[in-house]
C-alpha cells in the first residue's frame, strides 16, 4: 500500500491537499486492479503522474481548440468517438488521470464500473472513479505483464500507443522504484484469514480504448489531407552596383 510520504517523494509537485484527498482512492484502485507489487506500483504511478501533469489535471482543458472542435458531430472523429449529440465533444472531453474521451468510451467504462458516466461524465474526473478508470484500462491491456518484466518501454506503448513523453515517464519510474525499495513497500494482501480482502475489477472482453488513439489518428489524417504549402519563388539576386575607382 502506497503511503503519503512515498507519494510525496515520487511526485514532488503534487501538493499536500491533493495527496491526502487522492491517496485512499489511488490505493483502492490499485488493489482492485491487482497493481500490487513494487514494480507494478512504480510503473502505474509513473504513467499516471505523466498523463495527469503530476495529478493536477483530471479533466481536459477546453478552448475549444481547432482539434477539439473536431470532437463535435458530424465529423469523422466524432463518429468514431460515438459523439452523436450537439455538445458531446465538450461533454465527453478527456477525464480521469488517463483522459478517456468520447461518449462511447464513457459508456463502456461506466458499464464495467457500475457508474452512469454518460449521464454524469464529471464523475470520471473524481478520484473515486478516475483512478478506477485508470486501473481498469491497465487491466484490460494486461500492462502488469510488461511491468513485472520491468519493460517500461512496452508499458508506455500500451498506455500511449507510442513513446510520447518517455523521458518524463522514465524519470517518474526510476524515482518510484528507488523510493519504494528504500522505504520497504508492502502490498495489501489479497486474502486475510482465508477471506478475500478486496474485490477485483472485471476483465473486459476486449482491450479498452482511451479515445486518444482515435484523436491521434484524426490529427494525422487531417495533416495528410491538408494541401501542401507552395514554396515561395526565390528572390532574384540584385546585381551589385559597380563603384567607380577614384583616379588621382
Amino acid at each position: 500500500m502506497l503511503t503519503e510520504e512515498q507519494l510525496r517523494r515520487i511526485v514532488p509537485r503534487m501538493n499536500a491537499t491533493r495527496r491526502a484527498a487522492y491517496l485512499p482512492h489511488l490505493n483502492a484502485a490499485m488493489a482492485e486492479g491487482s497493481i500490487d507489487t513494487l514494480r507494478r506500483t512504480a510503473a502505474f504511478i509513473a504513467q499516471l503522474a505523466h498523463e495527469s501533469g503530476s495529478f493536477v489535471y483530471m479533466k481536459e482543458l477546453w478552448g475549444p481548440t481547432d482539434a477539439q472542435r473536431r470532437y463535435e458531430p458530424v465529423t469523422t472523429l466524432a463518429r468514431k468517438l460515438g459523439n452523436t449529440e450537439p455538445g458531446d465533444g465538450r461533454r465527453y472531453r478527456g477525464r480521469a488521470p488517463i483522459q478517456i474521451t468520447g461518449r462511447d468510451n464513457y459508456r463502456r467504462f461506466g458499464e464495467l464500473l457500475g457508474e452512469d458516466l454518460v449521464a454524469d461524465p464529471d464523475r470520471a474526473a473524481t478520484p473515486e472513479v478516475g483512478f478506477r478508470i485508470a486501473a481498469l484500462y491497465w487491466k484490460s491491456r494486461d500492462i502488469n505483464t510488461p511491468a513485472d518484466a520491468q519493460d517500461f518501454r512496452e508499458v508506455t506503448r500500451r498506455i500511449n500507443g507510442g513513446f510520447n513523453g518517455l523521458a518524463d515517464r522514465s524519470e517518474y519510474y526510476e524515482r518510484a522504484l528507488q523510493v519504494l525499495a528504500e522505504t520497504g513497500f508492502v502490498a495489501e494482501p489479497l486474502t486475510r484469514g482465508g477471506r478475500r480482502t478486496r474485490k477485483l475489477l472485471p476483465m473486459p472482453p476486449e482491450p479498452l480504448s482511451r479515445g486518444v488513439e482515435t484523436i491521434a489518428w484524426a490529427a494525422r489524417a487531417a495533416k495528410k489531407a491538408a494541401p501542401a504549402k507552395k514554396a515561395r519563388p526565390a528572390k532574384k539576386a540584385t546585381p551589385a552596383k559597380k563603384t567607380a575607382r577614384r583616379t588621382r
Side-chain angles (χ1 to χ4, degrees), residues 119-138:
D120 188 4
D122 275 328
R123 284 279 292 159
T126 64
E128 297 94 325
V129 178
F131 290 122
R132 296 185 73 213
I133 286 172
L136 180 60
Y137 180 84
W138 186 276

Side-chain angles (χ1 to χ4, degrees), residues 2 7 22-31 44-45 48 55 127 131:
L2 197 67
L7 186 58
Y22 284 13
L23 186 59
H25 306 292
L26 178 58
N27 274 322
M30 288 195 294
F44 187 71
I45 297 300
L48 265 58
F55 297 102
F131 290 122

Side-chain angles (χ1 to χ4, degrees), residues 7 20 35 39-40 48-49 58 62 71 78 87 98 105 119 131 141 154 158-159 185 193 197 200 206 222 227 241 248:
L7 186 58
I35 304 164
R39 292 179 178 183
R40 293 175 183 183
L48 265 58
M58 295 285 271
W62 191 259
Y71 296 6
I98 58 167
N105 287 321
F131 290 122
R141 295 274 169 171
E154 179 59 17
R158 295 191 190 191
I159 283 282
F185 173 77
T197 58
L200 298 179
E206 58 185 27
K241 292 182 179 179
R248 289 183 181 179

